[in-house]
Amino acid sequence: MKVRLYIFFISILILLNSGSLNAVCRYGQSDFSEASNYVVIGAFLIHKNAIQFTEHVRNKCHLDAKFELNQNRNLYYVYVLDTDDRVQAINEAMRLRTEAEFTGAWVYHGTFDKVDTQIGDQESILGIDINPVTEQHIIDVTSDDRPDPQNNATLHANELRTDQAVDGKNFFFKIFNETSNFLVEGDVDVIDIRRLRKMASYKGNTVVRVSAPMNKQDSITLVCEVFGYRKVQYHIPYNDPEDPTITRDEQGTIIIPFELKRLRKGDIAVMYNVYFFIDADVMRPESRFEINSLLEMLKENEKYRIKIHGHTNGGANGKIISMNKNSKSFFALSDAREGIGSAKQLSEKRAETIRNYLVSNGIDPERMQIKAWGGKRPLQDKHSARAQENVRVEIEILED
C-alpha cells in the first residue's frame, strides 16, 4: 500500500513539473479548468481607454461592465457577463448585437492568464474568441482605442486626440439651469434615430466634433439627461438645423441650448451614478458627484419634499455590511460592521444612508421619506447581463 501511495505522489509531481496540469484548451475544445464564458463588448491596448469605456458602459448603458487584461491577446477585454453557461453567453452576445449599441459583441471562452503556447508537439490556446452568429473562432481581435464615430464611439467623441482627423461638424451643446442660467455639467447623446443607434456621447459646454449620421434622412436626435432635471431632446436635420433657439458663432460652430428644468411633483429620477459597495449600505467614492447634485437641488428649493426608494436585485437574505451608528464614513468601509439581513432591509439601509448624508449636510429630515422595495420592482431579469440596473435608488418628488 505504501509503495502505491509513493508511486501516486511521484506521478503527481511529474505532472506538475511537466506543466500538464496547466489550465489549457486545445484549439476547438472547451473543457480546460477554470474556464468561463465572457460576453465581450470591447478590447483596448491602452489601460486608460479601457477604464473610460467601462465607466461609459456603466453610466450611460447601465450594464455591469468590468475589464481585465487578456494576457494572451495583450488587450484589455471589457465584458458584461461572466458565466459557465456557453449557451447563455452566446444568447446574451446576440441580444447585445441586435437590441443594444454593441453590434460587435462576442464571446471569449477561457481565462485571462498567460500560458505557454506550446505543450509537446501540439499547439495550445488558453482562450477562444467566438463569433456568436456563426459560433466560429475569431482569429484576430482588433483594439477599439481609436473609436469609429459611426460604430457607437466607445469614448466621448471630444476625448479623441486633437491630432486625429474626425469628419463632421463642430457643435457646442450649452447645458444650463433655466432659473439661474448657470452652466450645468452633463453629456449629450447623439442618436441616429432612423437606424435606432446611439452614435456617441459628448460633453456639454465645450466645442465637439459630431460626425454625420448614416441615414438618407440626414436626421439626428440629441438627448440631454442630467440628474435633478427633466430630460431635454432635439430632433434635427444634421446638415441644416432649423430651430429659433439654434445659432452659429463666427467660426460656424452650431450652438444648441439645453435649458434644463428642475424636476416637478410626481417626477421620479433614477440615481444611475450612485453606487454602493457589494452587500453594503456604504456608497462608493464615485457616487459623490450625483449625491451632491441631489443635495444642491434640495438646497436650491426648500419646498422640495422627496421620497427615497431603495431597490435590490432579487429578494434573498444575505450578508449586510452597515455603517456604524453615528458614522460619517459615507464613502468608505473603514467604519462599518457585518451582519445578516433581507434584501428589503438592505434596500432600506441604502435609502437611509442617502437620507443621513443629506441630513449631515443641512437638509431637514422632515423633507424626506423612505420606501424599501427589496427586489420587488426589478427593471430587468435578475439573472440577465443587465441585472445590475435593478440595484438602484430612485428619488420621487412629493412636493415642489
Side-chain angles (χ1 to χ4, degrees), residues 14-68:
I14 292 171
L15 284 171
L16 287 170
N17 289 331
S18 68
S20 297
L21 292 185
N22 282 342
V24 300
C25 177
R26 306 195 189 286
Y27 193 80
Q29 297 177 339
S30 60
D31 58 352
F32 47 84
S33 65
E34 300 182 2
S36 190
N37 300 284
Y38 300 88
V39 177
V40 184
I41 56 174
F44 298 85
L45 279 168
I46 302 172
H47 182 252
K48 179 182 178 182
N49 289 351
I51 294 174
Q52 289 177 331
F53 182 46
T54 301
E55 289 302 310
H56 164 78
V57 174
R58 281 177 171 270
N59 297 339
K60 294 298 180 181
C61 306
H62 314 303
L63 294 174
D64 187 19
K66 302 178 178 66
F67 74 89
E68 194 164 342

Side-chain angles (χ1 to χ4, degrees), residues 131-343:
N131 184 322
V133 178
T134 64
E135 298 197 28
Q136 298 297 310
H137 300 157
I138 302 170
I139 304 302
D140 296 315
V141 176
T142 58
S143 72
D144 297 313
D145 291 281
R146 289 177 177 265
D148 177 358
Q150 299 304 332
N151 189 25
N152 305 304
T154 56
L155 304 177
H156 285 95
N158 50 308
E159 290 172 348
L160 295 173
R161 288 172 49 189
T162 56
D163 60 350
Q164 287 181 283
V166 180
D167 294 331
K169 295 179 179 294
N170 285 342
F171 282 77
F172 185 95
F173 302 126
K174 183 180 179 182
I175 306 174
F176 63 99
N177 183 310
E178 69 153 348
T179 303
S180 65
N181 284 323
F182 291 158
L183 297 181
V184 175
E185 183 176 342
D187 298 334
V188 172
D189 292 337
V190 179
I191 299 170
D192 185 336
I193 194 64
R194 297 296 180 181
R195 303 178 72 199
L196 300 178
R197 290 178 55 183
K198 183 168 72 174
M199 295 166 54
S201 292
Y202 298 84
K203 287 183 179 178
N205 303 316
T206 187
V207 177
V208 295
R209 192 79 169 170
V210 178
S211 297
M214 298 293 288
N215 64 63
K216 295 180 180 179
Q217 289 77 17
D218 183 46
S219 58
I220 57 174
T221 294
L222 307 174
V223 180
C224 180
E225 190 168 10
V226 178
F227 178 78
Y229 299 91
R230 289 183 163 183
K231 180 169 66 176
V232 179
Q233 65 181 43
Y234 285 88
H235 180 65
I236 62 173
Y238 172 81
N239 281 308
D240 190 19
E242 295 180 359
D243 189 283
T245 63
I246 297 176
T247 59
R248 296 176 187 263
D249 65 13
E250 295 178 354
Q251 288 74 40
T253 299
I254 301 168
I255 303 171
I256 300 183
F258 286 86
E259 186 178 19
L260 301 186
K261 301 178 185 297
R262 281 296 190 186
L263 297 174
R264 303 297 300 273
K265 180 178 180 180
D267 289 342
I268 297 178
V270 180
M271 303 195 78
Y272 287 119
N273 297 310
V274 169
Y275 308 102
F276 290 86
F277 288 100
I278 295 175
D279 298 326
D281 63 13
V282 183
M283 290 180 285
R284 284 165 30 195
E286 58 265 41
S287 305
R288 290 179 185 273
F289 177 78
E290 192 153 286
I291 196 69
N292 284 329
S293 294
L294 175 59
L295 175 63
E296 179 185 346
M297 184 185 83
L298 292 173
K299 286 185 174 180
E300 186 179 295
N301 181 357
E302 294 186 357
K303 294 181 180 179
Y304 270 131
R305 300 290 186 275
I306 65 172
K307 181 180 288 187
I308 306 169
H309 298 260
H311 301 268
T312 59
N313 183 45
N317 289 0
K319 176 174 68 176
I320 297 180
I321 302 172
S322 300
M323 294 174 57
N324 284 315
K325 187 177 182 181
N326 300 323
S327 172
K328 301 299 181 182
S329 183
F330 294 100
F331 303 99
L333 294 173
S334 56
D335 189 15
R337 66 186 186 280
E338 186 174 315
I340 300 293
S342 66

Side-chain angles (χ1 to χ4, degrees), residues 83-97:
T83 176
D84 293 331
D85 189 335
R86 171 80 72 88
V87 174
Q88 181 189 8
I90 293 290
N91 290 341
E92 181 60 21
M94 286 296 296
R95 187 191 70 79
L96 290 173
R97 281 178 168 234

